[in-house]
Amino acid sequence: MVKITDVARHAGVSPSTVSYVLSGKRSISEETRRRVRASIRELGYRPHAGARALASSRSNVVALMLPLRSGVAVPVVMGFATSVVTAARRHDHDVLLLTQEEGEDGLRRVADSALVDALIVMDVQLRDPRLPLLRSLDRPSVLIGFPADAGDLTCIDLDFHAAGAACARHLAALGHREVAMIGSPPEVYERETGFAQRVTEGFAAAVREHGMTGGVHPCEASADAAKDLVGRLLAERPGLTGILVHNEPIVDPVVRALRAEGRRVPQDVSIVAICPDELAEHADPPLSSVAIPAEEVGGRAVELLMAKLDGEPVPAATLLPPTLTPRASTAPR
Amino acid sequence: MVKITDVARHAGVSPSTVSYVLSGKRSISEETRRRVRASIRELGYRPHAGARALASSRSNVVALMLPLRSGVAVPVVMGFATSVVTAARRHDHDVLLLTQEEGEDGLRRVADSALVDALIVMDVQLRDPRLPLLRSLDRPSVLIGFPADAGDLTCIDLDFHAAGAACARHLAALGHREVAMIGSPPEVYERETGFAQRVTEGFAAAVREHGMTGGVHPCEASADAAKDLVGRLLAERPGLTGILVHNEPIVDPVVRALRAEGRRVPQDVSIVAICPDELAEHADPPLSSVAIPAEEVGGRAVELLMAKLDGEPVPAATLLPPTLTPRASTAPR
DNA sequence: CTGAAAGCGCTAACAT
DNA sequence: ATGTTAGCGCTTTCAG
């Protein structure tokens, strides 16, 4: 194994000079830098990560804890993970993968053993048991999602309130007056991640603001429940022409239920969804939708983390503005 | 930070004794072990990962390189990743996540810097540029998938030949005599991962063996191409009653095309697919299928790696037997 | 069964 | 602008 002393000897300098050439932490003459760089290349030198971590108390690794639980869309998680890795590499960091299953112990383990310098935690619940732990760690962290009481923890996520509002506004702009939102199962609004609640609020506020009528209807994630609900909605509100669906598994069933009731999409009823792009694109018809910008969330989360590692102040909350992509499921009334 | 000397002092022993209690590399009296363990717990001691790696030249971290490219099913990749992490933890190892994008340089970087002890590489191509590199590294690795020339590299994957055969056998057992396989796009058979080729061979062999008739038809991954091909097949072979589809994106389109031609599934034509369970379950009707056992592949890959790290010999090739799950898309002729 | 002590390879004062 | 050197915290001979 090639070590720093080998490089130093080969370049005719001291080990510290090699170290400084690498870190750029002090000025080096052009000539010396050139020689050292050449030696490094020639010998194929790679600093030993462990030695470096020991001496500098920086591992240049960040932990990323991902959820397994169904309920979180797999493509979203993957997109998020890859963008975190890519962004981390831009800052010369690597990513250690943890599963939600490891929980607080896992986070404590990698933090206390100095395996990682910082942590990113995805799928944060409203009352997440990991929060007190993260607060107690001496290492910076970023949460994806907003817990009930974030305190001074750094959080980032799609602005779900704005997403709900954007969907209502989209329907309003198309001339719809009577709308409805088909939401997540009731229990999701009670515990879980809180974003569901925010969508309903944003939707309701925008409905009011644009002088439309319509409320929010939680719905179990089964095709039968969707069919029932759609039937009921149509019966009770004959003038209904626009629906926001925020309940991934029943996006398709809702459309099918409408057709079964003799309504065409989008000619008779327009549908907007908050769901992964993949789902929206492959639906029949392709759905106008707001997607979770997984790539951007991941990238930004890393930027926040790096700023914190550098001791820079960062905003406690970052809300990413939603983007509504119009597709074939919405039309003017 | 609590260090080993703190624990040693607290327990009234030497640092090396603490180390040996932790590693179990030499016998310790019951009494001493008890005291040391108590001190460790009481002080909340965690060995510094970097220091440990430096002293022992073992980081207890394995690299996992995952593909981003579309074409590899996202849920399969995720299932694989989580099973690798879970299995690695059972062996007291952590997992460093790399993206395919990082390529050979990424692998070299983490290996040469001693960041990782071993590597798992997914989505291995027939002629993969990473193979020579992996061979040249002084660290053990396991490949998911079989390249054209594996040499003595350790590989593991579903036995795709057996999978193709199992599907043909399933149709034969149901009494089908005229069958066909709708395969991947032609270019997949030329380069790429080689497994596509193996499916066709297994299918063809079993068709012959069971005295059935039927060939393999590559197909572009578009609904139109699927429709064309189904139309042609039905026209040319009026007696056709069984189809194996090995082309994820067009599984649904094939079923729809059959219906458009007036054939019911499974009453008129039986369909078997080689695709992720998720897709098969949600199809209409749910598809009899062989899935890639992502969980098992991940777990076994880690076991192989750990064996290699321990200097134990392992088989160069591991082929996991396929499991065909009968669902609603196949019926007796 | 346990201790003492020599590094592992690198960084960061401290010098000059 | 560069060199010298004292650790970083742990494992592992070497001794007993």
Side-chain angles (χ1 to χ4, degrees), chain B residues 20-37:
Chain B
Y20 284 121
V21 165
L22 248 19
S23 69
K25 287 187 182 174
R26 79 180 184 191
S27 50
I28 303 281
S29 75
E30 186 48 42
E31 162 59 8
T32 304
R33 194 186 357 249
R34 214 193 41 61
R35 278 217 321 287
V36 170
R37 290 237 172 91

Side-chain angles (χ1 to χ4, degrees), chain B residues 306-325:
Chain B
M306 293 301 147
K308 291 180 85 168
L309 279 172
D310 292 345
E312 295 163 18
V314 302
T318 304
L319 287 171
L320 299 179
T323 305
L324 191 153
T325 305

Side-chain angles (χ1 to χ4, degrees), chain B residues 75-81 83-84 122 291-300:
Chain B
V76 174
V77 175
M78 272 289 288
F80 179 71
S83 66
V84 165
M122 200 181 164
I292 294 175
E295 313 284 328
E296 197 188 345
V297 175
R300 295 283 293 271

Side-chain angles (χ1 to χ4, degrees), chain A residues 278 282, chain B residues 70-73 182-185 188 195 219-227 245-256 273-276 279 287:
Chain A
E278 181 157 306
H282 290 152
Chain B
S70 51
V72 183
I182 296 182
S184 302
V188 171
F195 64 85
C219 183
E220 293 300 334
S222 77
D224 286 345
K227 202 170 157 65
V245 183
H246 181 216
N247 185 332
E248 242 181 272
I250 63 167
V251 165
D252 278 332
V254 163
V255 175
R256 281 204 291 274
I274 298 180
C275 69
L279 206 171
L287 264 33

Side-chain angles (χ1 to χ4, degrees), chain B residues 2-127:
Chain B
V2 182
K3 39 200 182 198
I4 200 167
T5 51
D6 299 328
V7 176
R9 196 176 321 114
H10 187 274
V13 299
S14 73
S16 61
T17 297
V18 176
S19 176
Y20 284 121
V21 165
L22 248 19
S23 69
K25 287 187 182 174
R26 79 180 184 191
S27 50
I28 303 281
S29 75
E30 186 48 42
E31 162 59 8
T32 304
R33 194 186 357 249
R34 214 193 41 61
R35 278 217 321 287
V36 170
R37 290 237 172 91
S39 297
I40 288 176
R41 208 167 320 118
E42 202 164 323
L43 301 181
Y45 169 66
R46 301 271 184 184
H48 186 289
R52 187 171 250 193
L54 179 56
S56 67
S57 41
R58 283 286 226 122
S59 68
N60 273 36
V61 174
V62 304
L64 171 61
M65 183 171 266
L66 296 181
L68 301 167
R69 63 185 195 98
S70 51
V72 183
V74 174
V76 174
V77 175
M78 272 289 288
F80 179 71
T82 57
S83 66
V84 165
V85 173
T86 305
R89 288 301 309 140
R90 277 201 299 271
H91 293 269
D92 200 35
H93 281 245
D94 275 287
V95 174
L96 196 83
L97 187 58
L98 300 178
T99 62
Q100 201 92 295
E101 209 172 27
E102 289 221 58
E104 307 149 65
D105 290 345
L107 294 172
R108 200 197 330 262
R109 181 175 58 79
V110 298
D112 286 354
S113 66
L115 228 190
V116 306
D117 297 333
L119 310 97
I120 298 180
V121 172
M122 200 181 164
D123 191 37
V124 172
Q125 309 287 301
L126 222 37
R127 320 203 152 276

